């Protein structure tokens, strides 16, 4: 019965041989092609940071990252040319959004606050409820979302074909100037993996510079990394996140977080732990931007949260003194990587 | 091909393997499908005919559900994939293709059906099988590598939870006052349903024949109809023994991935809607 399969197999094999002789055509041409080693992108990793893991079919090159950066800062990606990725992920805010929730084309209001993209290449899952696994797959989300860029992918491809700088950029990145949505999302993802931040006073202190942190910040560090504050259980490791989902005691809203994906009652109100790197410049806070300042965040934890039924057991009244709260605040402020907020290789290439 | 720099032979070899397997496994099979050009395959015209009970279904018309709700459907779409003809000995011959069946007016023939052209070998068969949904592998592949009927512009893609909506049933209860809308968007791998259809005559299965068309591609040959009865979608509610109560129960009006009980129910109900009309 399976002679259809067999015939297909043979046909596929002979086709693969034919393809060797003729020009390669669309479709899977980019899949599995490994650039030569000397063209691979070298990530400038801060001391102590693990390697960036790239998907096998999208290894970064300088040219691909450069193309991705141009796309990231380009308003042509939105239906009415009003919004770029960078409109909601601003470098001076560590690639997060100072708006409480996102504002898309025609001023359409979203439901969530755009998180910082610092070190996003290390995240095991993406979006607040973690439904998306790769940056390649994430990149399509804002493009087609009606409340964000509201774009048809075919329209986008046609549009970019008419913008001359892209012909050279695509050719350099992909070998020819064919523009496809697959190349667009892959290039964006390659750029995003280069958004790496790890040069903070805290990092310098860790590497042995004893004066990099103030006395108060040092006391805050002890609160953060001990049972006194218990922050490190969730915001631990080099990127201040355990990369999993918790309920940190925010009062319930319609947004059910992780539950939306799993439908497990115990996942109601759980969200992915965000990084706290550059937290000073990423206000407002939490998935819906409900807290305006770090003082409010510290109040929230110090009070033991708002009493959500799924609240994590670690969330409990901490009874921090005024001084301890200030110390914790100063510690959080030592997580800002000033250089990262203006670094040229991450900034708008169209200017 | 861009980087044919260093070890040309080795690269060519790797490429030939990459392409061989890429063609075989990826969405490319849809575009470069060698089966379609094969001369001994026949075109099978499969017609999905939408009904509500005994009446042909038209979007925008009123129908009465088991629970007594007068409803209007505004969207009725589903993916059919992994088609197979069931041979007389019970084995199956797979047919290539994945279809987004859309009962929207503009998609229908003047006789009110949605036609899918499949390719299969001539012969005698006892049934047809297909899945409502998208095969696992295609359901989770990077959407930007996919094209119609899949892909980011299909209107069926859940970008926040990568995968496809297998079927959409949307509409409203036709009543005075505040409008009551319903929207069932069901997907996820565990809700992919296999539909097995055969022509029963009492307990016996009536076999059917896919004929050689002798080069004719007209619509006289190998036309088979499957009835898709949307009244069945509303016969069973979340609570066993109770019909779907769109008007009365908020909990039976809307689902995406969840609520789980309703999403599971809609998937089970959807699988009940199909029956074989045949030639």
């Amino acid at each position: 019965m399976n002679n259809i399969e067999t015939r297909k197999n043979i046909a596929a094999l002979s086709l693969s041989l034919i393809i060797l002789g003729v020009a390669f055509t669309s479709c899977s041409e980019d899949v599995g092609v490994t650039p030569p080693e000397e063209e691979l992108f070298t990530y400038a990793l801060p001391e102590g940071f693990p390697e960036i893991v790239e998907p096998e079919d999208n290894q970064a090159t300088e040219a691909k990252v450069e193309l991705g950066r141009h796309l990231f800062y380009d308003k042509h990606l939105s239906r009415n040319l009003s919004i770029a990725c960078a409109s909601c992920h601003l470098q001076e805010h560590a690639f997060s959004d100072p708006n409480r929730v996102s504002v898309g084309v025609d001023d359409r209001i979203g439901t969530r606050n755009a998180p910082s993209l610092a070190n996003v290449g290390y995240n095991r899952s993406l979006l607040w409820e973690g439904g998306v696994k790769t940056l390649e797959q994430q990149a399509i989300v804002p493009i087609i979302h009606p409340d964000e860029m509201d774009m048809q992918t075919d329209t986008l491809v046609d549009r970019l074909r008419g913008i001359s700088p892209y012909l050279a950029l695509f050719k350099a990145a992909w070998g020819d100037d064919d523009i496809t949505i697959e190349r667009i999302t892959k290039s964006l993802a390659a750029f995003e993996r280069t958004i790496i931040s790890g040069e903070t006073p805290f990092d310098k202190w860790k590497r042995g510079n004893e004066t990099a942190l103030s006395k108060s910040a040092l006391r805050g560090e002890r609160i953060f990394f001990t049972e006194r504050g218990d922050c490190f259980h969730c915001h631990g490791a080099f990127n201040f996140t355990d990369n999993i989902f918790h309920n940190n005691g925010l009062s319930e809203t319609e947004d059910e977080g992780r539950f939306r994906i799993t439908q497990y009652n115990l996942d109601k109100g759980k969200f992915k732990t965000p990084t706290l790197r550059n937290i000073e410049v990423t206000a407002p806070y939490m998935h819906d931007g409900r807290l305006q300042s770090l003082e409010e965040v510290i109040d929230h934890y110090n009070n033991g949260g708002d009493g959500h039924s799924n609240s994590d057991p670690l969330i409990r009244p901490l009874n921090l003194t005024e001084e301890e709260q200030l110390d914790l605040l100063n510690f959080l402020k030592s997580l800002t990587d000033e250089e990262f907020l203006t670094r040229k290789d991450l900034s708008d290439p169209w200017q | 091909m861009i980087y044919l720099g260093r070890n040309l032979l080795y690269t060519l070899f790797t490429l030939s393997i990459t392409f061989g397997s890429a063609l075989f496994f990826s969405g490319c099979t849809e575009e470069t499908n060698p089966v379609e050009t094969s001369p001994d395959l026949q075109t099978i015209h499969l017609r999905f005919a939408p009904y509500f009970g005994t009446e042909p279904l038209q979007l925008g018309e009123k129908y009465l559900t088991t629970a007594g709700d007068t409803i209007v459907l505004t969207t009725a779409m589903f993916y059919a994939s992994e088609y197979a003809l069931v041979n007389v000995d019970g084995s199956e011959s797979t047919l290539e293709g994945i279809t987004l069946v859309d009962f929207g007016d503009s998609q229908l023939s003047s006789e009110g059906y949605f036609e899918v052209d499949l390719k299969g070998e001539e012969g005698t068969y006892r049934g047809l099988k297909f899945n409502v949904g998208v095969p696992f592998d295609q359901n989770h592949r990077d959407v930007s590598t996919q094209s119609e009927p899949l892909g980011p512009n299909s209107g069926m893609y859940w970008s926040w939870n990568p995968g496809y909506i297998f079927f959409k049933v949307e509409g409203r209860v036709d009543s005075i006052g505040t409008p009551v809308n319903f929207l069932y968007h069901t997907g996820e791998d565990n809700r992919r349903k296999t539909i097995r259809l055969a022509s029963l005559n009492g307990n016996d299965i009536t076999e059917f024949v896919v004929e050689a068309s002798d080069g004719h591609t007209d619509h006289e040959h190998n036309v088979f109809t499957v009835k898709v009865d949307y009244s069945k979608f509303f016969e069973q509610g979340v609570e066993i023994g109770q019909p779907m109560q769109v008007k009365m129960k908020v909990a039976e009006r809307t689902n995406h991935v969840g609520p789980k009980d309703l999403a599971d129910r809609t998937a089970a109900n959807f699988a009940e809607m199909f029956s074989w009309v045949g030639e």
Side-chain angles (χ1 to χ4, degrees):
Chain A
M1 65 151 200
N2 245 340
N3 48 16
I4 296 182
E5 282 304 274
T6 324
R7 218 178 299 146
K8 227 179 71 182
N9 237 331
I10 294 168
L13 260 173
S14 42
L15 249 173
S16 84
L17 291 173
I18 292 165
I19 275 171
L20 289 177
V22 295
F24 300 106
T25 45
S26 68
C27 224
S28 291
E29 66 179 304
D30 303 327
V31 175
V33 178
T34 312
E37 225 161 88
E38 63 269 18
E39 285 184 23
L40 289 179
F41 185 85
T42 335
Y43 294 94
L45 295 180
E47 208 179 303
F49 272 43
E51 293 292 324
I52 291 274
V53 181
E54 303 170 322
E56 268 170 36
D57 64 358
N58 194 24
Q59 285 180 287
T61 59
E62 290 284 350
K64 210 192 272 182
V65 169
E66 193 52 22
L67 168 58
R69 179 156 74 116
H70 280 80
L71 292 166
F72 190 87
Y73 283 93
D74 192 347
K75 294 184 175 172
H76 287 104
L77 268 68
S78 63
R79 176 173 47 75
N80 60 6
L81 312 178
S82 63
I83 298 218
C85 307
S87 310
C88 300
H89 298 281
L90 288 77
Q91 182 175 19
E92 68 259 43
H93 295 284
F95 298 92
S96 74
D97 187 358
N99 287 314
R100 192 177 67 74
V101 292
S102 62
V103 181
V105 295
D106 303 333
D107 293 330
R108 292 182 193 165
I109 307 292
T111 57
R112 288 178 174 175
N113 179 249
S116 163
L117 301 185
N119 303 321
V120 74
Y122 293 103
N123 285 357
R124 281 200 296 270
S125 65
L126 301 160
L127 303 185
W128 283 104
E129 74 273 73
V132 181
K133 297 289 178 249
T134 67
L135 286 169
E136 283 73 8
Q137 286 200 314
Q138 197 285 325
I140 201 92
V141 177
I143 296 176
I144 63 176
H145 197 301
D147 295 332
E148 295 185 13
M149 297 168 128
D150 195 26
M151 196 62 181
Q152 283 272 324
T153 56
D154 302 342
T155 316
L156 174 58
V157 165
D158 283 347
R159 193 185 276 175
L160 295 192
R161 282 186 182 140
I163 299 169
S164 59
Y166 277 122
L167 300 180
L169 285 162
F170 274 85
K171 190 164 196 314
W174 295 96
D176 61 59
D177 60 14
D178 188 22
I179 298 180
T180 64
I181 188 66
E182 178 179 3
R183 288 177 173 187
I184 292 170
T185 55
K186 284 189 162 153
S187 307
L188 278 167
F191 168 65
E192 291 178 90
R193 288 194 181 88
T194 73
I195 306 181
I196 295 171
S197 165
E199 300 300 337
T200 69
F202 168 74
D203 294 285
K204 291 179 182 138
W205 173 77
K206 278 226 97 145
R207 290 174 210 146
N209 179 345
E210 287 180 16
T211 58
L213 292 189
S214 70
K215 288 237 161 56
S216 169
L218 274 174
R219 288 193 299 269
E221 193 267 349
R222 282 298 84 200
I223 296 168
F224 190 94
F225 283 105
T226 64
E227 266 67 41
R228 185 76 192 96
D230 260 339
C231 316
F232 72 103
H233 280 290
C234 304
H235 298 285
F238 78 100
N239 199 29
F240 294 85
T241 169
D242 56 4
N243 254 302
I244 54 176
F245 307 91
H246 298 282
N247 182 313
N248 71 340
L250 297 170
S251 63
E252 207 163 331
T253 63
E254 270 184 14
D255 193 336
E256 293 177 316
R258 185 70 182 156
F259 176 82
R260 193 178 176 206
I261 305 273
T262 64
Q263 298 294 313
Y264 293 139
N265 280 332
L266 287 177
D267 282 342
K268 278 198 178 150
K270 282 192 183 173
F271 294 86
K272 186 173 56 139
T273 311
T275 179
L276 298 187
R277 287 188 173 276
N278 306 295
I279 194 70
E280 185 185 2
V281 298
T282 69
Y285 302 105
M286 307 301 166
H287 66 274
D288 53 6
R290 69 175 72 183
L291 301 181
Q292 301 310 307
S293 66
L294 284 176
E295 285 84 349
E296 283 182 36
V297 173
I298 290 173
D299 262 356
H300 168 83
Y301 284 111
N302 199 32
N303 293 336
D306 310 325
H308 190 289
S309 55
N310 267 344
S311 193
D312 193 283
L314 289 169
I315 306 297
R316 57 179 201 281
L318 297 171
N319 303 315
L320 298 176
T321 64
E322 294 276 318
E323 197 204 354
E324 283 176 311
Q325 294 181 42
L326 185 63
D327 293 342
L328 188 55
L329 178 69
N330 284 328
F331 171 70
L332 293 176
K333 287 183 175 172
S334 79
L335 302 178
T336 308
D337 179 348
E338 293 291 347
E339 192 199 330
F340 170 71
L341 305 179
T342 53
R343 237 168 66 197
K344 266 264 156 307
D345 62 314
L346 299 176
S347 62
D348 187 351
W350 298 100
Q351 297 212 326
Chain B
M1 61 320 190
I2 317 156
Y3 304 106
L4 296 186
R6 305 148 119 205
N7 187 335
L8 191 68
L9 267 180
Y10 176 76
T11 316
L12 283 176
F13 177 70
T14 325
L15 275 174
S16 80
I17 291 177
T18 316
F19 279 89
S21 46
L23 278 171
F24 191 54
F25 291 116
S26 75
C28 284
T29 39
E30 278 137 32
E31 284 133 75
T32 38
N33 190 349
V35 173
E36 265 170 55
T37 56
S38 185
D40 35 52
L41 289 182
Q42 310 307 322
T43 301
I44 299 167
H45 307 283
L46 187 66
R47 292 176 178 175
F48 287 106
Y51 277 81
F52 202 97
T54 51
E55 294 174 70
L57 174 83
Q58 260 188 299
L59 300 191
E61 294 296 317
K62 293 178 195 170
Y63 301 97
L64 194 63
T65 70
T66 314
D69 300 330
T70 302
I71 61 158
V72 166
L73 291 182
T74 53
T75 300
M77 293 165 88
F78 65 93
Y79 278 112
S81 62
E82 298 176 271
Y83 294 95
L85 286 169
V86 183
N87 297 309
V88 176
D89 66 3
S91 65
E92 291 167 5
S93 301
T94 43
L95 312 178
E96 287 297 318
I98 171 160
T99 320
L100 179 55
V101 178
D102 182 352
F103 291 136
D105 290 346
S106 61
Q107 306 293 322
L108 296 185
S109 74
S110 52
E111 284 87 42
Y113 55 79
F114 184 99
E115 184 165 300
V116 180
D117 285 353
L118 300 165
K119 299 280 183 185
E121 286 180 57
E122 64 174 292
T124 304
Y125 298 97
R126 58 186 293 182
L128 173 79
K129 188 189 108 172
F130 61 91
N131 285 349
V132 171
V134 175
F136 183 91
D137 173 54
Q138 279 159 295
N139 201 23
H140 301 290
R141 195 177 299 148
D142 185 346
V143 69
S144 69
T145 66
Q146 296 179 306
S147 51
E148 302 282 301
L150 300 169
N153 305 323
S154 59
M156 301 293 275
Y157 179 65
W158 268 328
S159 65
W160 51 275
N161 182 29
Y164 289 89
I165 297 168
F166 294 166
F167 63 80
K168 283 185 176 176
V169 178
E170 295 175 20
R172 59 177 186 274
V173 179
D174 187 68
S175 54
I176 312 160
T178 341
V180 174
N181 295 321
F182 55 87
L183 178 152
Y184 309 99
H185 286 183
T186 303
E188 302 240 289
D189 296 305
N190 57 353
R191 302 204 178 98
R192 189 183 300 105
K193 296 286 182 196
T194 299
I195 313 296
R196 293 170 191 281
L197 299 175
S199 163
L200 286 177
N201 185 354
N203 281 334
D204 296 331
I205 288 176
T206 311
E207 291 165 356
F208 59 89
V209 175
V210 171
E211 302 168 352
S213 60
D214 300 323
H216 298 288
T217 49
D218 56 38
H219 278 219
E220 303 296 306
H221 286 278
N222 301 332
V223 177
F224 303 98
T225 300
V226 169
K227 180 180 173 186
V228 190
D229 180 358
Y230 278 82
S231 73
K232 297 244 178 354
F233 186 80
F234 298 93
E235 277 182 5
Q236 174 61 60
V238 168
E239 208 177 314
I240 295 303
Q242 297 287 319
M244 196 80 98
Q245 298 192 42
V246 185
K247 191 173 177 187
M248 295 304 293
K249 295 188 180 168
V250 182
E252 296 195 344
R253 265 179 228 161
T254 309
N255 76 273
H256 300 271
V257 175
K260 196 172 169 311
D261 51 2
L262 183 60
D264 289 346
R265 188 70 255 159
T266 59
N269 290 359
F270 208 87
E272 295 297 321
M273 292 172 13
F274 299 89
S275 58
W276 182 251
V277 179
E279 283 172 278

